[in-house]
Amino acid sequence: MKRQLTYIHQLKNHISTDVDLAGWVYNVRSSGSLVFIECRDGSGMCQCIVNKEEVSEDSWEAAVSLKQESSIRLHGFVVSDERSIGGVELQVKKLEVIQLVADYPITPKEHGIEFLMNRRHLWLRSQRQWAAMRVRNGIIFAIHNFFQSRGFIQTDTPIFTPNAAEGSTTLFETDFFNEKAYLAQTGQLYGEALAMAHGLIYTFGPTFRAEKSKTRRHLSEFWMIEPEMAFYDLEMNMDLAEDMLKSIVAEVLDKYHHELALLERDTSSLKRLVEKDFVRIKYDEAVDILNSEKTAKVLDELIQQRKTDKEELLQEQDAIQKEHGSAKKWRKKQIEKRIIDIRTRVDQMEEDLRNIPKWKKSAQEFTWGSDFGGSDETVLTMQFDVPVMVTHWPAEIKAFYMKRDETDTYALGVDILAPEGYGEIVGGSQREDNLDLILARIEEEGLDPEVFDWYIDLRRFGSVPHAGFGLGLERTVAWICGLSHVRETIAFPRMMGRITP
Ligand code: 4AD
Ligand code: MG
């Protein structure tokens, strides 16, 4: 007979039947003749109850010996129980240990971030990390759905490349059979060639940047989705990007309630942006906003708000600390958990209180012609409740391939800034399609025309207006999941100071 495994996420379809599960012990506690196992099997989590009276001696002995992350097989009867996680519970009839575990290093108590990052291979099993990887999967799937349903072809572009495309300062150099090669910063230039063959294409691959930035938005290796469209101008490019983001968010909201709830994501701002038009402003207007009195006032108010919030949390902490001494066991646990929570939030507020005055200074002193820093993006997006698309950038601060407007001062580029402080998630542009102008731009940037000869061919043979953009996957995952750092948005992050595990 074929051996059938049931997965926890399907248990609702197996109520009042016997099933076989296999998984790991997430948590275990016993009370008299009962052992309660929170079992995870990758697909979800389920409470499994072992009753001494109803199992063999072997099963009972196994049950009482279990520790966190022991691997097990279970046979049991599924009952509906609304109070349980997932709405079901397993009444265990047989339990078998695959491996007993003694000292799993990640316990439910608080661990520091370095401790967890060094054990990323195990940390991935924790609920929040599990949820984030599921949402990442949902976002990837939604992206493919969006482009495939619109007739885009997914194309793959090389990772070893002979040239820089996004400025030479962030290249990882490698040795390619005694020739210098660089890890791709973008697939775009190859994407342009493919768009001339297929019309509508997108790439979905790893990209590499050697930026020496240790920020919550920077990885050295990240995944980028780059659509490229023949016959599109800047406007059409922006419409597509807006539709894409709405479509991703709508699909994730629809399918990933459970995961977003585990991540404690407040989804109201995500729901709102699906319905509303994104804000579209030019770079010049963005600079005016940064420099404005109104922005200074908004930031002052934010400082006041943080102070009040912090005070309230500290008062709550005082109150529950007093209650702790005489509280029942379950309540003590609850209080301890809440105190950890309060401390994290107070730390966050203190950090904000240190930072916001710096944001204010940076915004007020921002001068035309510079690129926005992380805090400038935060300050800009704070004033809107949907993503902000900034266009018409000073040409000098944008890449060589961007088409310029008729004044030759502005590049027809667009950055999309996500709300809630997440900042730039998309960078794109209409491309320079004129042969003479692209040659001039390559020369001005001091790039080697020989290396770019194939790219210039695209302007020699049937050149057409075209445009595209790049969506950073990890920043998108951070934003949709509400995570404060991109290191938790990819299974094994690569960033300055981190190449293991
Ligand atoms: O704005 P960028 O540099 O644009 C390009 O690479 C273009 N060639 C895209 C195109 O038009 N086809 O990068 C695009 C996006 C950014 O908006 C950001 O989301 C992400 O890639 N990104 C990073 N994500 C994580 N870590 C980094 N170091 C990133 N650098 C860029
Ligand atoms: Mg950019």
Side-chain angles (χ1 to χ4, degrees):
M1 218 181 79
K2 240 191 0 208
R3 182 158 190 167
Q4 287 277 355
L5 257 191
T6 307
Y7 290 96
I8 288 172
H9 75 117
Q10 307 163 330
L11 281 184
K12 274 217 149 148
N13 309 328
H14 294 265
I15 288 172
S16 300
T17 62
D18 279 357
V19 295
D20 288 306
L21 296 183
W24 297 265
V25 174
Y26 196 68
N27 219 330
V28 59
R29 68 192 164 85
S30 55
S31 159
S33 60
L34 296 175
V35 171
F36 299 90
I37 305 166
E38 263 181 77
C39 177
R40 57 170 200 89
D41 75 343
S43 81
M45 186 92 82
C46 174
Q47 163 136 293
C48 306
I49 301 179
V50 190
N51 184 336
K52 191 175 179 184
E53 312 300 320
E54 292 181 13
V55 295
S56 69
E57 206 165 305
D58 283 352
S59 289
W60 178 252
E61 287 307 314
V64 291
S65 70
L66 291 177
K67 293 246 172 70
Q68 200 189 345
E69 289 307 311
S70 296
S71 42
I72 53 176
R73 288 185 194 283
L74 295 165
H75 178 75
F77 185 72
V78 184
V79 293
S80 163
D81 180 358
E82 280 316 316
R83 290 162 311 163
S84 265
I85 3 161
V88 294
E89 206 171 75
L90 189 78
Q91 296 177 344
V92 177
K93 294 183 171 175
K94 189 167 176 233
L95 184 154
E96 216 180 286
V97 174
I98 304 172
Q99 190 190 36
L100 214 54
V101 168
D103 295 304
Y104 187 65
I106 302 177
T107 59
K109 73 166 200 207
E110 281 289 282
H111 294 288
I113 186 69
E114 281 308 301
F115 180 95
L116 292 168
M117 289 300 290
N118 288 336
R119 291 160 188 78
R120 183 69 177 157
H121 53 294
L122 301 177
W123 189 27
L124 289 168
R125 303 177 188 191
S126 302
Q127 286 263 274
R128 284 177 59 86
Q129 304 307 313
W130 175 86
M133 286 304 107
R134 308 280 284 197
V135 176
R136 178 183 168 108
N137 170 65
I139 292 171
I140 292 171
F141 199 73
I143 291 169
H144 285 298
N145 266 345
F146 176 81
F147 286 115
Q148 294 288 335
S149 70
R150 290 179 177 227
F152 283 65
I153 302 292
Q154 190 204 324
T155 59
D156 304 310
T157 53
I159 288 170
F160 285 120
T161 57
N163 55 270
E166 296 294 334
S168 52
T169 54
T170 68
L171 290 170
F172 280 109
E173 194 180 305
T174 66
D175 175 82
F176 189 76
F177 306 114
N178 300 326
E179 260 188 87
K180 259 190 201 167
Y182 307 97
L183 300 184
Q185 298 163 307
T186 167
Q188 179 196 319
L189 306 191
Y190 297 98
E192 288 183 52
L194 286 154
M196 299 307 133
H198 293 276
L200 305 173
I201 65 98
Y202 68 108
T203 69
F204 198 133
T207 45
F208 305 86
R209 305 262 170 114
E211 270 149 311
K212 292 207 164 105
S213 323
K214 276 194 177 176
T215 80
R216 58 198 185 85
R217 295 172 185 175
H218 286 91
L219 291 167
S220 315
E221 176 179 315
F222 63 97
W223 287 69
M224 188 154 44
I225 297 87
E226 296 185 89
E228 191 70 32
M229 296 74 66
F231 308 107
Y232 268 47
D233 61 10
L234 178 65
E235 196 84 2
M236 294 162 84
N237 197 22
M238 291 163 72
D239 291 343
L240 183 79
E242 180 169 344
D243 286 352
M244 175 196 69
L245 288 171
K246 285 179 171 166
S247 168
I248 297 171
V249 169
E251 196 169 320
V252 170
L253 284 174
D254 185 39
K255 295 188 188 154
Y256 289 84
H257 290 282
H258 176 59
E259 286 79 358
L260 293 171
L262 280 175
L263 291 161
E264 297 170 88
R265 177 66 163 122
D266 172 2
T267 51
S268 51
S269 89
L270 297 175
K271 286 183 183 135
R272 195 163 44 231
L273 77 88
V274 176
E275 310 291 327
K276 285 178 74 171
D277 288 341
F278 291 6
V279 171
R280 299 182 180 205
I281 54 174
K282 293 186 174 174
Y283 172 91
D284 287 2
E285 294 169 70
V287 176
D288 287 344
I289 294 176
L290 286 176
N291 294 158
S292 72
E293 282 297 314
K294 184 175 166 246
T295 294
K297 205 168 141 243
V298 167
L299 290 169
D300 287 336
E301 281 164 10
L302 190 63
I303 292 175
Q304 278 316 316
Q305 183 64 48
R306 290 290 188 275
K307 282 187 179 155
T308 322
D309 291 349
K310 186 184 147 192
E311 250 342 282
E312 274 171 19
L313 282 168
L314 290 175
Q315 276 167 14
E316 184 191 340
Q317 177 172 294
D318 266 358
I320 56 176
Q321 252 162 357
K322 283 194 188 111
E323 185 195 336
H324 188 266
S326 57
K328 292 235 167 66
K329 200 170 158 197
W330 65 268
R331 175 67 185 148
K332 270 200 165 80
K333 276 220 168 111
Q334 209 177 35
I335 291 176
E336 285 155 16
K337 222 176 144 223
R338 178 70 187 149
I339 286 179
I340 292 176
D341 197 36
I342 291 178
R343 294 219 173 113
T344 324
R345 292 178 55 182
V346 168
D347 282 352
Q348 182 60 53
M349 279 165 199
E350 282 171 350
E351 196 183 323
D352 283 357
L353 285 169
R354 282 191 298 275
N355 284 332
I356 301 168
K358 293 183 205 156
W359 300 354
K360 184 176 159 189
K361 187 159 185 281
S362 164
Q364 286 184 317
E365 291 173 2
F366 190 90
T367 51
W368 193 95
S370 340
D371 202 354
F372 300 130
S375 83
D376 303 316
E377 291 179 356
T378 304
V379 170
L380 268 177
T381 49
M382 253 168 52
Q383 326 215 15
F384 304 98
D385 60 1
V386 289
V388 180
M389 305 171 111
V390 183
T391 62
H392 298 81
W393 294 73
E396 304 83 71
I397 57 171
K398 287 292 184 190
F400 78 94
Y401 53 70
M402 289 194 189
K403 195 173 182 65
R404 294 180 176 187
D405 74 348
E406 54 293 341
T407 68
D408 203 34
T409 314
Y410 296 98
L412 299 177
V414 54
D415 276 10
I416 305 184
L417 313 179
E420 300 168 89
Y422 285 95
E424 184 198 333
I425 50 170
V426 167
S429 68
Q430 187 170 336
R431 320 302 190 192
E432 185 50 75
D433 53 331
N434 178 286
L435 176 61
D436 296 329
L437 294 177
I438 200 78
L439 285 169
R441 294 292 295 125
I442 286 173
E443 194 182 307
E444 275 168 44
E445 295 277 324
L447 299 167
D448 181 356
E450 224 156 274
V451 177
F452 284 96
D453 200 43
W454 69 267
Y455 183 71
I456 298 163
D457 262 357
L458 306 176
R459 279 75 180 161
R460 290 189 183 108
F461 303 109
S463 189
V464 297
H466 62 290
F469 61 85
L471 171 73
L473 180 62
E474 287 73 19
R475 289 192 191 173
T476 306
V477 176
W479 162 52
I480 293 180
C481 290
L483 296 168
S484 61
H485 198 298
V486 286
R487 67 188 161 213
E488 291 181 40
T489 64
I490 183 166
F492 295 99
R494 296 290 172 254
M495 54 200 185
M496 222 184 135
R498 169 72 50 196
I499 189 147
T500 53

